Amino acid sequence: MSHLAPCTKEYKLTLNPPTQSKKVQLLVEYTNHCYSRSLGEDEAVDSQHCIHDGSRQGPRRRIFDQQRYDLSLTLNERIDTLLISGEKVWSTPHGNFFAIPKSLAIATDYVLFIKATVLEPAQPKIPKRCVSFKVQSAYPYTEPADFWNGAKPSSLNSYMFHLWTGRTVK
C-alpha cells in the first residue's frame, strides 16, 4: 500500500489577473475507499478481507476490492494529470468535488471524489498555508451514476481559486 502513502504535491494556481500565479502546496491523502467497497446487503466477509471504516458517523465494515486496488496503482498519476491538464471537476452539494481524469496506463475511466480544504499555519504541523487534498473514494466509472445530480462543472483552477481566496466554491 506504499503507493497510497500521504504525499506532497505542488499546484500552480492561476490568480486574478490571470497573468499572476501562485504555487500552492497540496497535502495528498487517500482513504481506504480507494481499495475497498461496501458490503452487499447479505454479503459476509472473512476477517482477512474485512476493512474497518474509521468514519465517526457510524463505523461500518468494508471489504477489500481487487479491482479498486489494481486501479489505485495509477492514482498518483491520475492526480498529477488532473493538476496539470485543466480537466473539468464537478462540485457536489456535499462540499467535495469529483473528476474523471484519464490515465495513460489504464483505459478504464475512474471517478475520484476529493475533499479539498485550506489549512492555515496555526494548525499543528502546518508550517505555511496549504491545501489538504483528500481522495475520499476512487472507483471505476459506469453510467448512469447518481452522483451527477446537483453537481456543477468548473475547471480545477476555478475550484481551487475560490477555495484559496475564501469565496464560495461554485
Side-chain angles (χ1 to χ4, degrees):
M1 297 281 181
S2 63
H3 64 286
L4 296 176
C7 63
T8 303
K9 295 184 183 285
E10 219 172 63
Y11 177 67
K12 184 179 175 184
L13 178 64
T14 303
L15 301 172
N16 199 1
T19 55
Q20 298 177 347
S21 64
K22 175 172 187 52
K23 290 182 180 178
V24 175
Q25 186 178 44
L26 303 179
L27 304 176
V28 181
E29 297 178 274
Y30 303 95
T31 70
N32 66 24
H33 291 224
C34 296
Y35 59 87
S36 68
R37 63 174 174 76
S38 57
L39 292 169
E41 196 171 307
D42 294 326
E43 189 174 9
V45 62
D46 59 77
S47 60
Q48 182 180 357
H49 293 97
C50 183
I51 296 170
H52 296 279
D53 189 4
S55 65
R56 293 181 182 160
Q57 295 86 355
R60 52 191 185 265
R61 296 179 328 153
R62 296 180 63 83
I63 187 169
F64 177 82
D65 185 279
Q66 187 66 50
Q67 183 183 27
R68 284 190 184 196
Y69 174 80
D70 291 344
L71 290 171
S72 78
L73 296 171
T74 65
L75 266 176
N76 268 307
E77 175 211 341
R78 289 171 192 257
I79 295 293
D80 290 341
T81 300
L82 179 64
L83 295 176
I84 62 172
S85 69
E87 290 185 44
K88 282 191 176 178
V89 299
W90 289 263
S91 57
T92 76
H94 309 292
N96 61 357
F97 70 89
F98 67 89
I100 307 173
K102 300 297 180 197
S103 169
L104 300 175
I106 298 176
T108 303
D109 283 338
Y110 199 32
V111 63
L112 307 178
F113 284 86
I114 299 170
K115 175 76 172 179
T117 310
V118 174
L119 302 177
E120 300 294 345
Q123 298 176 27
K125 299 183 182 179
I126 306 297
K128 65 179 186 175
R129 194 167 196 242
C130 61
V131 174
S132 167
F133 211 68
K134 185 174 238 172
V135 181
Q136 297 173 309
S137 193
Y139 51 84
Y141 171 68
T142 56
E143 289 194 65
D146 61 356
F147 53 76
W148 291 99
N149 295 335
K152 297 177 183 172
S154 68
S155 69
L156 177 62
N157 192 82
S158 176
Y159 186 95
M160 295 293 282
F161 177 79
H162 283 86
L163 180 74
W164 189 255
T165 57
R167 296 180 178 137
T168 302
V169 175
K170 296 179 180 184

